[in-house]
Amino acid sequence: MVKATGLKKISWMIMGGVLGASLVVGTSVMADRQASSASNLPLEQLRAFVEVYDRISTGYYEPIENEKMLENAIRGMLTNLDPHSDYLPKESFERVEESTRGEFGGLGMEVGMEDGAVRVVAPIDDTPAQRAGVRSGDIIIKLDDTSLQGMSLTDAVKMMRGEPGSKITLTIIRSGESEPVAIELTRAVIKVRSVRERLLEANLGYVRISQFQNRTGDDLSRAIRTLEQENGGPLAGLVLDLRNNPGGVLSASVDVSNVFLNEGLIVYTEGRLQNSKMRFEAKRGDLMNGNPIVVLVNEGSASASEIVAGALQDHGRALIAGRDTFGKGSVQSILPLNNGAAIKLTTALYFTPSGRSIQASGIKPDIEIDLVKVERVNQERRSREADLDGHINQPGVADADDSKQDEAVNLLSEDYELYEGLNLLKSMVFANRRN
């Protein structure tokens, strides 16, 4: 049993730190409130903490470094707040900074903690996770032979990282599967190209944003200009694809919304700290000049994706199509510590321009598109006049090019949601022309 003097010494060391912090905060409040603040300190809980710390350090079956115990205590304080707050050791903090720059090593998927389990928010485009068939909603229970039960999210992510070219097997639980599924992935350096574009048809463009990075707003503007050059003129409509986009930098979601809005509120945040109360207004101007936009979302669309979808929906600027989004409506701040580590702390909730909170409810689409797979039925096409040898064409009209029809059929079978989004966009363009 430890001497009382030693326990008392540790207790006063911890109490001194707590009181010191209180004094730093207390310098900005009135003197008559300082006594009540000090009296509200949970002294019994602090004493219990010191006692548990002492019992572990002296009674655990093997010695544990004091630094490790204190680090675990810090991590426990954060991870028990919500699924997104966490302690980031120096190495993990450096990886977070790498990911916002768009290049990092690993498997290429956003994961979160839900009810103590590691759940896939969304795989990132053109990464090992996406190519191997990892899906939004998959629950990872094992990495190689290591169970993730009781493991922190930070430690699980650390295990997923590794040398490019090395392999790792994920054992997952997937909705609709009766048995766990094992998926082998090969780690790679993840170079995320957050914006991709192509023409779907004449005058109708498509832009895919896979993740929100610092430069995503500028990349989106360039993508639209590239499509206009390929089209030989302004676009009549655009499909903006945010499916399986796990989010990213908050400022990037504001930049993307700015591309489609002339004015008005984009998003605002509410928290206890003064600097967590922010409002973001549209400033740039609408590059699409008011022409129709369809935004595709699904259960893998989270955070920054939901900010963009919510802003465009509230302003009536776009039609949101797909399925209910993930529902991550909280803001995490990365707060560096003096030891080179950092904490990721939930400091605010964000709200759409109309005051809707996205937290846990997500964005509900205007038009729901079910997750289905369409297969083409092999059926012989009946002969038409144009199929007959020597048929007469209309004056000035060449033979029909079937390649466009084939492209539409391929799109229907390969990506039904995009096919439906394109049809919605065509209807909106038609209505726009009528008006």
Side-chain angles (χ1 to χ4, degrees), residues 350-417:
Y350 62 74
F351 299 83
T352 71
S354 66
R356 290 184 295 163
S357 172
I358 299 169
Q359 180 60 29
S361 61
I363 296 293
K364 296 188 180 298
D366 302 303
I367 302 293
E368 186 171 340
I369 302 177
D370 291 330
L371 180 61
V372 299
K373 182 178 180 180
V374 178
E375 295 184 0
R376 185 178 183 181
V377 177
N378 292 324
Q379 182 177 351
E380 293 185 5
R381 185 167 65 89
R382 294 183 179 181
S383 298
R384 302 168 59 239
E385 173 70 19
D387 298 323
L388 300 178
D389 291 336
H391 69 270
I392 301 173
N393 287 327
Q394 293 183 27
V397 177
D399 286 337
D401 183 4
D402 291 335
S403 61
K404 295 296 182 182
Q405 183 179 355
D406 291 340
E407 287 180 13
V409 171
N410 290 336
L411 186 61
L412 172 62
S413 60
E414 294 173 2
D415 193 338
Y416 173 74
E417 295 161 73

Side-chain angles (χ1 to χ4, degrees), residues 19 101 107-108 123 127 133 160 167 183 186 210 223 226 238 250 310 404 406:
L19 289 172
R101 292 194 297 266
L107 303 178
T127 62
M160 292 184 217
K167 296 183 182 297
I183 302 177
T186 302
S210 59
T226 298
L238 180 75
L250 173 64
K404 295 296 182 182
D406 291 340

